[in-house]
Amino acid sequence: MYLTKEVKAEIFKKHGGSETNTGSTEGQIALFTHRINHLTGHLKKNHKDYNTERSLVKLVGKRRSLLDYMIKNDIVKYRELIKELGIRK
């Protein structure tokens, strides 16, 4: 399993403030980014896996909506987060 309890706790501790703050926007975006990177690597090896491709597109859409929410509420945190996660190239 690529996403263990410890990895999740580390992501939320780094981006959400604490391990138990799983509802924070920053933590959710970081978790989605981790999952998107994993699924992208999987699809490079298995290009005909259409179910994974569909779930990847859904995840990207969820992350996009959370990023739009962050832009509206706190543009400074948004810029810090995308720089830290390396979302924009």
Side-chain angles (χ1 to χ4, degrees), residues 67-78:
L67 286 169
D68 289 343
Y69 172 79
M70 273 194 78
I71 288 174
K72 281 194 295 188
N73 291 326
D74 195 352
I75 190 77
V76 176
K77 278 188 182 178
Y78 167 79

Side-chain angles (χ1 to χ4, degrees), residues 55-83:
S55 65
L56 175 66
V57 170
K58 288 180 71 128
L59 264 179
V60 170
K62 284 183 183 181
R63 183 178 72 178
R64 178 75 256 158
S65 65
L66 284 174
L67 286 169
D68 289 343
Y69 172 79
M70 273 194 78
I71 288 174
K72 281 194 295 188
N73 291 326
D74 195 352
I75 190 77
V76 176
K77 278 188 182 178
Y78 167 79
R79 289 184 179 143
E80 289 173 3
L81 187 66
I82 61 170
K83 188 179 290 184

Side-chain angles (χ1 to χ4, degrees), residues 5-71:
K5 226 178 190 183
E6 293 80 21
V7 173
K8 250 186 180 178
E10 179 186 328
I11 288 172
F12 284 118
K13 186 174 182 183
K14 185 175 181 186
H15 297 285
S18 72
E19 295 176 6
T20 57
N21 190 7
T22 58
S24 69
T25 307
E26 296 90 349
Q28 290 288 316
I29 292 171
L31 181 66
F32 286 161
T33 302
H34 179 78
R35 290 176 62 194
I36 287 169
N37 291 338
H38 175 75
L39 290 177
T40 303
H42 173 79
L43 283 173
K44 286 182 181 174
K45 294 180 214 154
N46 307 293
H47 65 278
K48 288 191 175 185
D49 189 354
Y50 299 115
N51 291 326
T52 302
E53 186 176 346
R54 181 173 186 268
S55 65
L56 175 66
V57 170
K58 288 180 71 128
L59 264 179
V60 170
K62 284 183 183 181
R63 183 178 72 178
R64 178 75 256 158
S65 65
L66 284 174
L67 286 169
D68 289 343
Y69 172 79
M70 273 194 78
I71 288 174

